[in-house]
Amino acid sequence: MQLLCRDEPDLLEWEDEILDARPGAVLLARTPVFPGGGGQLPDVATLRWDGGEAAILGLDPDPRGWWHRFAGAAEPAGRVRISIDPGFRHLMRELHTLAHVTNAIVFRSFGGARLTGAQLSADGTFRVDFDLPGVDPDRLRTLADPINRVIAADLPIRAFHMPWDEAAQVPGLFRSENVSPPRQADGNVRIVEIGDLDRQGCGGTHLASTGAARPVRILKVDNKGRHNRRVKVGFAA
């Protein structure tokens, strides 16, 4: 079940042979479409075949690949072509990268604070929640400056794979209190590294470097219970 978007986030067009079909869905061995997960929204994508086209509504895993669901009862055969919306893909890559930068700064500045939630939004904002009991919200409102310094530093971003069981034993590679990065079929996990700032397990899409992101500002800091602090971030302009 290969997700091409993880290693080739610039791949926006893909043509492949249908392995199987049913009304309103086709099965492909590989896909460039990000299905959503880890707080990142799914890609906006279109499926085209001889005689028709439809927006992709969602993906479902199968031992043979990925089912691509679409509206209607068509049952295509032969080859299909997938087109990814480039603007939306870039936005999700940008927001996910900035969420990692924010996470890394909080992790370093607040004694290894754990992530309790994250969500990227189509409006160009994102929120990250942390286990930070007793922290003065004003300290979190100053996060924009260190985030923007990381953007200006244009740190390179790369991804690599390592055994999931090995990664789980390394402090800081798995940050979330609630979910773990996906274990791949080969027993590995994907690790995303941002220069010398951050390294953690992640299955989402990211920019090639932090300098490709726009400067940010802190929109809001909320208390969500006795422990959780929520930071909402948006673009400065």
Side-chain angles (χ1 to χ4, degrees), residues 188-199:
N188 288 331
V189 63
R190 181 171 174 265
I191 307 296
V192 173
E193 182 180 78
I194 303 177
D196 59 359
L197 172 75
D198 190 41
R199 178 183 289 181

Side-chain angles (χ1 to χ4, degrees), residues 50-90:
D50 186 18
E53 69 174 64
I56 295 174
L57 302 179
L59 271 65
D60 300 312
D62 181 284
R64 298 168 291 169
W66 291 89
W67 285 99
H68 297 64
R69 291 182 279 107
F70 55 89
E75 196 168 340
R79 298 186 69 81
V80 291
R81 186 170 187 83
I82 293 174
S83 300
I84 309 292
D85 182 290
F88 192 80
R89 164 66 69 83
H90 181 83

Side-chain angles (χ1 to χ4, degrees), residues 129-214:
D129 298 357
F130 299 99
D131 184 3
L132 288 171
V135 167
D136 184 348
D138 284 340
R139 290 185 64 192
L140 296 172
R141 294 187 181 101
T142 66
L143 286 172
D145 285 343
I147 295 171
N148 288 329
R149 285 196 292 270
V150 172
I151 294 171
D154 196 20
L155 300 180
I157 300 170
R158 74 180 186 105
F160 61 94
H161 302 267
M162 64 185 298
W164 196 99
D165 292 331
E166 179 183 327
Q169 301 305 312
V170 179
L173 280 190
F174 292 179
R175 302 269 177 85
S176 174
E177 286 190 353
N178 304 313
V179 296
S180 297
R183 184 195 293 264
Q184 298 166 181
D186 59 4
N188 288 331
V189 63
R190 181 171 174 265
I191 307 296
V192 173
E193 182 180 78
I194 303 177
D196 59 359
L197 172 75
D198 190 41
R199 178 183 289 181
Q200 60 177 295
C202 180
T205 61
H206 294 269
L207 299 172
S209 69
T210 60
R214 289 168 282 181

Side-chain angles (χ1 to χ4, degrees), residues 30-46:
R30 297 186 290 174
T31 183
V33 180
F34 183 75
Q40 181 174 335
L41 298 175
D43 278 327
V44 175
T46 302

Side-chain angles (χ1 to χ4, degrees), residues 17-30:
E17 193 77 24
I18 295 173
L19 296 180
D20 199 356
R22 61 191 184 214
V26 295
L27 177 67
L28 305 179
R30 297 186 290 174

